[in-house]
Amino acid sequence: MSDLRGVLEKVGRRIEPREDAFDRLERARRRRTRNRKITAGALAAAIAVSGIVGVSVAFLGGEQITPGGQDGRVVALWPEQTMAEIRRTQDAVDAGEESLAWRLDLEATAKRFVEEVLGWGDAIVTIQLFPGDGQGAVAEITTPAAPCPTPAEGEPIDPRCPGRKVEVSLVGLLPPQGVWSVLRVEGDRIRFDPETADGLSVDETVRAHVDLPAGAQALGGGTFFGDGCTNSFSTETIAESGVLRLSIPTGECAVTSGYVFAYVVGPGSAGFDEDPMDAEQLYAPDPFGQRVEVLDLTAMRVNLGPTPDAEATSLPEETPTTAEESPPPDEEAVPDVAEVVCDPSVTQYSPIRVRPQPDGVHIRVTNGLDRQISVMIDDFGSEKVEALGSKERVESIPPGETWLRCYDPENAGPDADPAPFVRVLIEVADPDGLWKSTELECASDTILEGILDYFAGARGVQDPLEAARTLDGILPTDAVELARYPESEPPMVRVVRDGKVVALFEYIPDGHGGWLLSGTESCGDVGIG
Amino acid sequence: MLGAFMDRMKEPATAEEAPAADAASFERFFEAGHARLLRALFVVTGNADEAEELVQEAFLSVWERWDRVSAMEDPTGYLYRTAMNAFRSRLRRAARAARRVIGLAPGADAFAAADERDAIGRALAGLTPRQRAALVLTEMLGYGSEEAGRMLGVKAVTVRVLASQAREAMRKALGDE
């Protein structure tokens, strides 16, 4: 491929800049500067609750300082909504209140949220932490598929059958060891436009685009707070995919902040016809009973008016900084064995950071299932792990990220590969610089490759480095050294000439403690191999 | 930590406060760099709408800091770092390849939809977003792996690995030419 840059430029020209691009930028700037700037990455999450269905009841609980007034704006969705309320909870936790200890646990907070607000008692939580300052995270929360009768031919599958998924953004608003609060909820089937609501004014509208499965319904609403007053609204119910219009309410109550939401409910939900404040209906044990069943939810916080609270918050922005401003990561704290549990009921933080050992990256996988599973590491293949057993793999994974996936062979259909039941990102940090690159740095585009084969019983060399130094084309000034990690097996040798990697030699074990040269790769113009 | 974070949040002056001369210089900066950034982000994301959103996000962020950015040695580099930060944030927040929302037909990955005649599109579709980003930064925009690594939040060696993987995949998909 002679001109990759030209190829990419050609692809780039498939998109044309809009003629009014700068005008659009100016309009966006004006929207953003209506309030004091939060950040480009702010995730305002609000769940409008009051007066709609038990979703609301679960949020507001029983007590409460009214948000929006003297106590400040809505800064979070759940459990508390204002900084005053959050501080009160924090004080109680700091004083040792046992019943609130779970608020310091990120996973517990995320799980409690979906249990109490959505009624999802069997949630699987995967956490992704934001790096850098601040205490922010996104929890991906899924539920397993429910046992489901096969629909009649031509009939759609009951939307309550497949698993459900939401992403919940959480933040600790009182670091360093603050209680966790839910900032935003993002469902799989609902998208807000605009995606964030900073800068909206009264009577503006958030459009909730809903992709409804057959048989389900959706509705939305909002609750906004002024000084000592509340204004709530709800939308019509829709039974087909479409748009719900969430309009910021006007009226006697001069609202300053609040939240909007939209959610999807399963077929036959009785809550619309009965008392919407009857929370008991939400949590009946029979998933196919006649009750309101929340299948999906998207919600976000909204702050209106010219001057948000100084403590109005967002998730930390990753502002580009100079190298001098960026504190280095704490490399000493990175473990040298990555622990992964292949168990869907166990929450794992992703990515999992690990530092290599001299022989490579160690990943210990524990199988939480009572049957054998298969564990795949991208580019390094699959290995089996026995039921309820553990296996430690050592792989020459280069610095950077790679995916590990756990597969349950029992989930495979006759014609399809199973989907992984656990997927974890592994991040290899190499503070000691153990990794020696295997990337050729050729002046020309020509690369020579060779594959060697042997008769059975062939014997190799004991020292692949010494053997490589005797190959044709190696100069006395070339550096011949082990590539990958110092003790990677099988070994790979690289040749460095004038500071550039110009050749690679791969070896395989001969079965007698020695090594056979199995493959070569070299730049076409260096005359090696 | 929150205090330091909030101090950062208070820094940017609103664009309305910037003198007229600064606004004019920013507009020149925008006109000079908008198309190239848009095209680069289109190749990275494979999605025209997403590319436009990321470009707008990046320029907005730069505009709010224009008094400082304009004094930097390399304002364009700062712009690209900002854009890549936004790209990385999106990858983290919502690892969805396409949005299942009606009315967003352009939301699909333009490369994923490439047909048999579009060998390049299909080749790009076979790359991961990070591979595409590394390839665009190094091959299309000419950044070194150190700078590209800072933009992507990874080590330089990771950029080289990603770009190497991408080149190899493109080479295989397109054949030696």
Side-chain angles (χ1 to χ4, degrees), chain A residues 61-187:
Chain A
E63 31 168 334
Q64 303 300 328
I65 297 168
T66 302
Q70 295 175 352
D71 298 298
R73 292 170 178 266
V74 171
V75 299
L77 281 191
W78 184 92
E80 305 88 7
Q81 288 152 344
T82 67
M83 284 306 296
E85 292 169 306
I86 293 170
R87 285 200 194 92
R88 210 169 62 178
T89 300
Q90 185 71 55
D91 289 344
V93 169
D94 292 344
E97 175 58 52
E98 284 294 326
S99 65
L100 292 174
W102 61 272
R103 293 294 306 283
L104 294 176
D105 185 314
L106 176 57
E107 177 202 345
T109 303
K111 262 199 170 171
R112 188 76 82 100
F113 171 77
V114 294
E115 283 169 3
E116 294 189 7
V117 175
L118 303 180
W120 298 3
D122 52 355
I124 300 165
V125 181
T126 302
I127 303 286
Q128 183 164 6
L129 293 171
F130 278 92
D133 281 355
Q135 193 178 335
V138 173
E140 181 185 271
I141 302 176
T142 56
T143 65
C148 208
T150 304
E153 186 168 342
E155 290 297 314
I157 192 168
D158 190 313
R160 292 168 295 182
C161 298
R164 309 161 200 179
K165 188 174 94 169
V166 289
E167 285 187 355
V168 179
S169 302
L170 302 105
V171 71
L173 290 170
L174 295 171
Q177 298 295 330
V179 295
W180 289 96
S181 298
V182 172
L183 268 194
R184 182 187 179 102
V185 188
E186 199 158 332

Side-chain angles (χ1 to χ4, degrees), chain A residues 216-232:
Chain A
Q217 299 179 64
L219 75 162
T223 292
F224 285 80
F225 307 94
D227 191 357
C229 60
T230 305
N231 195 338
S232 298

